[in-house]
Amino acid sequence: MCLVRSHINMSVQDMTHPPSNLLSHVEAMLVSTLRQDLLFVRVCWSALSLTIWSFKVFTPSMEEIETLNGHGLSSFGDLYPPTRVCLTTGCPNHRSCNNVATLSNPVAYKAVRYSLQYGVLPIHVTSTYCHRCLHQYHHNYVVCKVDDARVYYGGVPEVIQVATHFFIDSQVLEMFATAKVFGW
């Protein structure tokens, strides 16, 4: 269930508490993956939801990733905007805390992610929208619909978008740079 946490996060308004019930398509995926009945999945969620919700970092095995990806609900390594609230100061949807979502209209598309640890991964990339100030939030940047200005978030991202449907982990790019430096 930790593997689908980011997918569940996009569907809840308040991230401080786990949802009391899982989305029906998440339940269906877990029934199929675990080869258990719906009651078992619901009982497990009731018993383990607080523990699952408290996980910050989870490193799955390749078998777990392949199982999740095989069900098509979401993919390991899916990319989402780093915020659930509008970052524009003065916008009514701006919040100092990221726990309660003010962005809406998630739009997802399929892409490919190149990672050092897991190789090539099929992923989904999701963006969200602020209806008040007309900003579209993407994984690496924000686009203002008024003037089509693209503003990148501060710092170096862990995953870099190199084309519309292609993303590379910064570890892979660091490996390329190191190989080039020491290859001369």
Side-chain angles (χ1 to χ4, degrees), residues 13 29 35 55 57 59 70 85 92 106 115-116 124 153 161 174:
Q13 186 69 22
M29 187 272 301
R35 295 186 180 106
F55 270 86
V57 177
T59 305
V85 298
S115 74
L116 193 59
H124 298 96
Y153 305 121
Q161 184 173 6
E174 288 290 334

Side-chain angles (χ1 to χ4, degrees), residues 134-138 141-145 148-151:
L134 309 178
H135 284 84
Q136 185 81 33
Y137 287 83
H138 298 269
Y141 57 89
V142 180
V143 175
C144 177
K145 295 290 182 184
D148 261 352
R150 181 182 289 199
V151 178

Side-chain angles (χ1 to χ4, degrees), residues 15-31:
M15 282 183 32
T16 57
H17 307 288
S20 54
N21 299 309
L22 291 171
L23 300 167
S24 59
H25 59 280
V26 172
E27 287 180 334
M29 187 272 301
L30 291 170
V31 165

